[in-house]
Amino acid sequence: MDKEQFIQQYAVERQGTNAVKWDALKERFGADDLLPIWVADMEFSTPETVKQALIQRIEHGAFGYTQVAQGYFEAYQGWQDRHEQTKFEKDWLYFSTGVVQSFYDLIACFSEEGEGVLIQPPVYYPFFHAIQDQKRALISSELILVENRYVPNFVDFEEKIKTHRPKIFLLCSPHNPLSRVWHKEEIAQLLEICHRYQVLVISDEIHSDLILPGHAFVSTVTVAKELGYLDEVFVLNAPSKTFNLASLLNSHVWIPGEEKRNLYENWVKRYKQTENSLLGQLAAKTAYETGDEWLEGLLAVVASNYAYVKETFAKELPKIIVTPLEGTYLAWIDLRAYVSEQEVKKVVQDTAKLAVDFGEWFSPNAQGFIRLNLATIPQNVEQAVQQLVAAIKK
Ligand SMILES: Cc1ncc(COP(=O)(O)O)c(C=O)c1O
């Protein structure tokens, strides 16, 4: 499906639908006259096939306790085969209500209070919350910029592990907000270090379907399998980011190691009694079976919005640095050449009237950066960029 067709068929107005992005502006930003281009969901409806499957189920009218939909595993593996070439086994798979919930759960299950969890900021801010809310020790090894591309600082990564002996490394792959799609060699090197110091690896792969042309996603599970470290990794993924289904509360936890599965099951017995999300699983199964063309259309829109952002800044404010978009639909932008770190909020929010994710949400060292969400209609991206250019010039 091409970009124009996709926009025509799927663009939706979300204001007034209890959308956090649009309807919680006052609460989150203290003002409601902002153009929201922040939280990672979309102004596009899910594929028509998914909508129709949900409508049909809703027509039935009974929503009692439910078992996993027949054909779910086949649909899910079929999608993985076509898009990510990742093989999971059925007994690795557990359902959850979301990826954030799942990394909270795995940290609770596989570490104790006071023990360390390692992350690579700038990174998705709930990573910090999951560690701090659960009284684990936060250990950071910041990603570093080498020739306009963020890479792990392997020396520092190993040094932090040697010094602080964390129990868990929480990896974001592909990376939000830096949009890196990690190479196999990078993941392998991280896994090697973790293996050496007996650090478990939780790989958050919620963005794994959102890959721009020229890049290829490699799951941590694939690399761990080749290295013989399958028992030391966990993968979290979901169709929610890909198909705009976050509120239907269906996500996956993969635990390849049998001993780890036993520990997790014992923990679940004590702390979690969730049932399956009927509508969430129906939407996921249908999207996995029929969402290929829709995703192609979405990625065309994202690529075109990204090109607009890059070209416009290059022309109007050439010292703004837009990080290359490899994966996700989130653009990471360095405004520091024009705006002092203390003034970013004033310029972006008060003058340009934009609600964005600010750099310091992802790392205390990322003041002066912003994250823009490109999974929206081109008019929103154009308006955001124009307002930002005008505000900075002013
Ligand atoms: C890296 C990452 N993990 C998890 C989530 C949210 O997952 P969920 O809605 O399933 O809790 C997001 C949403 O933006 C994300 O970027």
Side-chain angles (χ1 to χ4, degrees):
M1 179 175 286
D2 72 21
K3 182 184 107 188
E4 304 303 334
Q5 243 180 321
F6 181 86
I7 293 168
Q8 197 184 9
Q9 189 172 353
Y10 289 112
V12 283
E13 176 61 69
R14 297 188 63 211
Q15 195 161 21
T17 63
N18 298 319
V20 168
K21 190 195 245 162
W22 290 83
D23 299 319
L25 285 174
K26 184 93 184 153
E27 187 187 319
R28 301 295 176 98
F29 290 85
D32 49 19
D33 59 346
L34 309 173
L35 175 68
I37 191 133
W38 62 301
V39 79
D41 62 18
M42 318 180 193
E43 278 64 67
F44 298 117
S45 72
T46 199
E48 188 57 28
T49 44
V50 175
K51 213 167 88 180
Q52 289 310 322
L54 291 172
I55 290 170
Q56 211 180 359
R57 195 62 180 75
I58 284 168
E59 287 287 345
H60 179 244
F63 307 108
Y65 298 115
T66 184
Q67 62 179 9
V68 178
Q70 260 198 345
Y72 189 97
F73 300 104
E74 293 72 16
Y76 182 22
Q77 187 58 64
W79 177 268
Q80 295 286 328
D81 290 342
R82 294 196 303 286
H83 293 268
E84 294 167 20
Q85 284 100 46
T86 310
K87 287 260 174 260
F88 63 89
E89 288 173 26
K90 210 166 148 180
D91 52 343
W92 299 358
L93 179 63
Y94 298 87
F95 287 98
S96 181
T97 50
V99 167
V100 171
Q101 180 64 57
S102 300
F103 58 67
Y104 269 77
D105 292 347
L106 292 180
I107 288 171
C109 178
F110 291 99
S111 69
E112 304 286 336
E113 273 192 31
E115 288 182 330
V117 179
L118 173 63
I119 56 172
Q120 294 175 305
V123 75
Y124 182 54
Y125 33 90
F127 279 26
F128 292 84
H129 305 159
I131 297 166
Q132 289 165 331
D133 290 348
Q134 302 193 89
K135 301 188 168 53
R136 271 56 175 174
L138 175 75
I139 301 160
S140 292
S141 176
E142 294 257 343
L143 293 163
I144 49 171
L145 197 54
V146 178
E147 291 166 6
N148 200 24
R149 152 185 276 226
Y150 285 92
V151 292
N153 181 342
F154 292 108
V155 174
D156 177 69
F157 186 84
E158 180 160 4
E159 212 42 57
K160 292 279 164 58
I161 290 182
K162 246 203 271 188
T163 311
H164 302 286
R165 292 294 175 151
K167 286 295 279 265
I168 294 172
F169 164 45
L170 185 49
L171 170 67
C172 195
S173 175
H175 190 94
N176 168 13
L178 306 181
S179 133
R180 272 301 314 280
V181 177
W182 301 115
H183 297 166
K184 190 174 168 186
E185 297 72 26
E186 291 169 317
I187 299 170
Q189 206 171 333
L190 294 170
L191 290 186
E192 288 283 8
I193 298 170
C194 288
H195 174 74
R196 221 174 302 139
Y197 297 92
Q198 296 174 313
V199 179
L200 298 173
V201 179
I202 302 172
S203 186
D204 176 339
E205 301 185 356
I206 197 168
H207 294 275
S208 56
D209 298 317
L210 299 159
I211 307 297
L212 278 292
H215 302 279
F217 171 74
V218 184
S219 173
T220 297
V221 148
T222 308
V223 186
K225 193 171 182 182
E226 283 182 22
L227 294 171
Y229 304 156
L230 258 190
D231 291 358
E232 296 153 41
V233 302
F234 305 83
V235 163
L236 307 177
N237 69 22
S240 53
K241 198 66 40 192
T242 318
F243 294 107
N244 212 13
L245 300 169
S247 283
L248 291 187
L249 305 180
N250 178 59
S251 76
H252 307 125
V253 182
W254 295 356
I255 308 183
E258 191 181 347
E259 184 203 340
K260 301 291 184 307
R261 283 201 297 273
N262 292 336
L263 288 167
Y264 181 71
E265 283 178 20
N266 278 329
W267 182 87
V268 163
K269 248 190 251 169
R270 291 177 65 189
Y271 296 111
K272 236 172 111 93
Q273 308 295 329
T274 8
E275 293 291 335
N276 299 315
S277 161
L278 164 66
L279 297 181
Q281 291 193 347
L282 175 62
K285 173 176 174 280
T286 314
Y288 285 143
E289 286 168 344
T290 59
D292 303 63
E293 235 199 306
W294 184 97
L295 179 59
E296 200 183 289
L298 171 74
L299 290 174
V301 174
V302 171
S304 156
N305 284 340
Y306 171 69
Y308 176 85
V309 171
K310 224 177 137 55
E311 284 157 22
T312 310
F313 283 137
K315 198 164 96 213
E316 302 288 342
L317 296 164
K319 289 193 208 140
I320 284 185
I321 302 170
V322 183
T323 301
L325 193 73
E326 299 183 357
T328 81
Y329 48 70
L330 308 163
W332 183 245
I333 298 170
D334 182 356
L335 302 177
R336 291 173 304 173
Y338 297 101
V339 186
S340 77
E341 291 169 18
Q342 297 70 31
E343 285 200 315
V344 171
K345 205 156 184 188
K346 206 169 117 213
V347 172
V348 176
Q349 189 172 315
D350 302 344
T351 310
K353 297 285 175 196
L354 303 179
V356 303
D357 290 69
F358 289 100
E360 62 268 29
W361 296 1
F362 302 91
S363 163
N365 302 319
Q367 249 194 346
F369 290 79
I370 58 168
R371 192 193 77 175
L372 295 187
N373 179 341
L374 305 178
T376 189
I377 51 171
Q379 289 91 317
N380 285 345
V381 174
E382 285 160 24
Q383 189 186 333
V385 170
Q386 293 304 336
Q387 286 174 195
L388 195 53
V389 167
I392 292 174
K393 286 189 173 174
K394 199 162 138 192

